[in-house]
């Protein structure tokens, strides 16, 4: 859980320190801009951007019931973020599983990706899996 928040915490701290230095020098506008930029970048790289993560077993059970894909991801992954933002509101229709929170999910991804924890990995209800798929491929399966 802590790993997912490390990058956003460091970005926020850097933004606060940078803004504090600029504010101390009297550069109010620059300080506020720096702070907002760092906090915004931290938000985009945080787990908050993703739909609520469920466990691997629960995601597979839900996928079998409703026919929606399971997307394995991890915080800080730029490809996961790109997929999530590319899907927009449709992302909520998939079952998202954070591999850093669920060891079974990480094992499932390693089984699919030749021993690597390569994400995003999308698994369809029929068992077809694709590592780092294009946004449109996922959207068609939602």
């Amino acid at each position: 859980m802590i790993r997912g928040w490390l990058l956003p915490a460091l970005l926020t701290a850097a933004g606060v320190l940078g803004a504090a230095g600029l504010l101390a020098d009297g550069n109010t506008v620059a300080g506020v801009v720096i702070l907002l930029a760092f906090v915004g970048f931290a938000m985009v790289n945080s787990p908050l951007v993703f739909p609520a993560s469920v466990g691997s077993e629960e995601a597979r059970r839900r996928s079998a019931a409703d026919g929606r894909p399971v997307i394995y991801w991890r915080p800080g992954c730029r490809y996961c973020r790109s997929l999530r933002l590319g899907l927009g509101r449709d992302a909520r229709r998939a079952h998202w599983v954070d591999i850093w929170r669920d060891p079974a999910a990480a094992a499932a991804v390693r089984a699919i990706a030749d021993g690597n924890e390569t994400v995003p990995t999308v698994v369809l209800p029929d068992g077809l899996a694709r590592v780092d798929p294009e946004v449109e491929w996922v959207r068609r399966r939602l």
Side-chain angles (χ1 to χ4, degrees), residues 49-120:
V49 173
F50 294 86
S53 187
V54 297
S56 185
E57 291 301 319
E58 177 66 14
R60 283 192 287 234
R61 187 189 63 71
R62 290 181 185 183
S63 178
D66 62 19
R68 296 179 181 174
V70 175
I71 301 176
Y72 294 97
W73 69 285
R74 65 173 171 76
C77 169
R78 68 180 184 174
Y79 302 107
C80 298
R81 183 178 57 246
S82 175
L83 177 63
R84 166 59 185 100
L85 296 176
L87 290 173
R89 297 181 88 155
D90 290 337
R92 295 182 189 148
R93 296 175 54 205
H95 305 291
W96 292 78
V97 180
D98 181 351
I99 67 168
W100 279 358
R101 293 176 94 188
D102 185 354
V109 170
R110 285 192 302 270
I112 294 166
D114 298 324
N116 299 309
E117 290 183 1
T118 307
V119 288

